[in-house]
Amino acid sequence: MNENSGFWFLLGGLLLILAGVFALLKIKIYNFHIADFICLFLVVVGVTLTILSLLKFTPNIKGFTVFLIGLIVFSSVGFGFSASPQTIKIYNFTNKDFQYVNEVNINCEVPAGNIYVLFVTKPDLICSLIFKQSSFFLPPGRVEFTNKSSGNQLNLDCYADIADVTIIAKPNLKGVIQLKTATGNVYCSLLNTTNLNVLTVETITGNVEVIVDMENLKENLTITARTITGNIDFKTFLNGKAGCSLKALTKTGNVETNLQDFLVQLQTLNHYQGKTRNYDKTSTRVNVVLTAITGNIKVVSIKK
């Protein structure tokens, strides 16, 4: 072992000893966000190499490897870490603020991010939109939000560059929900909805999942989902009161069906069309159109 290599072994050994002491005493020097720590770690290594190079103290590969191992172990023990910082923006709309509103139209576009839709009973709540943005190395992207009310109608338009969006609405929300994303996934739980009129979902590479319980429906509902390379999963619970028509079409993917109480009108490997036995006799209906270009479609119905 030459003198140069011994120097790095010495530094690595000291760091490992300190790591052991800190672990025994449960000492944390500072709590870092992961992104901040990575940046600091790179700066420390770069400055160390620069100074030693200027001093013509060329690192030995084996010795420097031991030093890096010691530095990583010491850092993981001596510092606390938390996930990348999040920016959360919440927009709440209540009956108190919009007492005459009984219809809401939501248009939400997020090029990079997931969208979740839930119908939940909360006192005084009409709907709530929650934007979660992680600022890892870059600051959070822009969020644009506008709301306009006219008579009994409230129109909400929102756009976010990069964000996960959760839309929470009261079960008897009446109106239209339009969702659009490029790379994100969309999950819509319509288990409790009663009066929603239209749900439209568009993605490019993201997957779409929609689940609806027709037992609670009081008005007709149209569901349209379209994706290019993503997959679509649609599941519905039948109760014999509301009827359902279903059309699923993919160009190069497959359509997988597991449908109870449906009459088949057309079925091939990549195309399905059918409706429930009671469709023509019911006054409340759900009309579903699912389209995937290269992705697959899976449709399931369960009779209660």
Side-chain angles (χ1 to χ4, degrees):
M1 182 187 298
N2 58 38
E3 182 180 352
N4 197 348
S5 178
F7 171 78
W8 294 105
F9 272 94
L10 177 63
L11 284 180
L14 288 173
L15 288 170
L16 289 173
I17 293 171
L18 286 174
V21 172
F22 276 50
L24 286 172
L25 300 178
K26 297 181 180 179
I27 298 174
K28 296 291 183 182
I29 300 175
Y30 189 76
N31 186 69
F32 278 102
H33 290 300
I34 294 175
D36 297 334
F37 174 77
I38 293 174
C39 295
L40 181 61
F41 182 85
L42 294 174
V43 170
V44 170
V45 174
V47 169
T48 302
L49 288 174
T50 301
I51 293 175
L52 292 176
S53 296
L54 291 174
L55 296 175
K56 298 182 179 180
F57 199 84
T58 306
N60 175 277
I61 296 178
K62 291 183 179 179
F64 189 68
T65 301
V66 172
F67 165 71
L68 283 179
I69 293 173
L71 183 59
I72 292 171
V73 172
F74 171 73
S75 300
S76 62
V77 174
F79 297 96
F81 299 100
S82 60
S84 57
Q86 277 194 336
T87 300
I88 300 177
K89 297 181 180 179
I90 302 176
Y91 300 89
N92 290 322
F93 299 88
T94 65
N95 292 315
K96 181 180 179 181
D97 298 324
F98 299 90
Q99 54 183 320
Y100 299 108
V101 168
N102 59 19
E103 183 176 341
V104 180
N105 299 320
I106 301 173
N107 182 23
C108 181
E109 181 177 353
V110 185
N114 304 313
I115 303 176
Y116 307 89
V117 177
L118 305 168
F119 287 82
V120 178
T121 300
K122 288 188 176 183
D124 201 43
L125 179 70
I126 297 176
C127 65
S128 178
L129 285 81
I130 305 169
F131 295 80
K132 292 184 179 180
Q133 298 176 296
S134 296
S135 51
F136 197 72
F137 289 108
L138 299 175
R142 63 192 171 103
V143 174
E144 297 177 356
F145 192 94
T146 60
N147 70 84
K148 297 179 181 179
S149 60
S150 176
N152 65 346
Q153 190 176 83
L154 176 63
N155 297 313
L156 306 177
D157 289 291
C158 57
Y159 174 92
D161 290 325
I162 303 175
D164 284 342
V165 181
T166 300
I167 300 173
I168 300 174
K170 63 180 182 179
N172 64 344
L173 180 79
K174 181 179 180 180
V176 177
I177 297 179
Q178 300 180 82
L179 311 172
K180 188 174 182 180
T181 179
T183 61
N185 302 318
V186 178
Y187 172 77
C188 300
S189 176
L190 309 185
L191 294 175
N192 299 319
T193 186
T194 60
N195 296 78
L196 185 68
N197 303 117
V198 177
L199 172 68
T200 302
V201 180
E202 291 184 34
T203 77
I204 295 178
T205 62
N207 299 319
V208 178
E209 184 176 352
V210 178
I211 181 170
V212 57
D213 189 343
M214 298 204 299
E215 182 176 6
N216 300 316
L217 293 178
K218 297 179 181 179
E219 296 197 22
N220 293 335
L221 171 62
T222 298
I223 298 174
T224 305
R226 187 178 189 277
T227 181
I228 296 179
T229 62
N231 300 316
I232 299 176
D233 284 333
F234 176 80
K235 184 177 183 180
T236 182
F237 293 97
L238 308 175
N239 71 329
K241 297 179 181 179
C244 180
S245 71
L246 174 64
K247 182 178 180 180
L249 176 65
T250 176
K251 191 171 184 179
T252 60
N254 297 323
V255 175
E256 179 184 347
T257 60
N258 183 9
L259 299 170
Q260 298 179 10
D261 206 36
F262 266 76
L263 297 173
V264 179
Q265 297 172 312
L266 174 65
Q267 185 166 20
T268 65
L269 186 64
N270 58 3
H271 189 186
Y272 174 87
Q273 188 168 338
K275 60 183 180 180
T276 54
R277 299 178 185 276
N278 67 341
Y279 182 83
D280 295 323
K281 302 176 183 179
T282 58
S283 58
T284 305
R285 297 170 179 173
V286 179
N287 298 306
V288 183
V289 178
L290 311 174
T291 306
I293 305 302
T294 62
N296 300 316
I297 300 176
K298 181 179 180 180
V299 290
V300 177
S301 71
I302 299 175
K303 189 175 181 180
K304 288 187 173 181

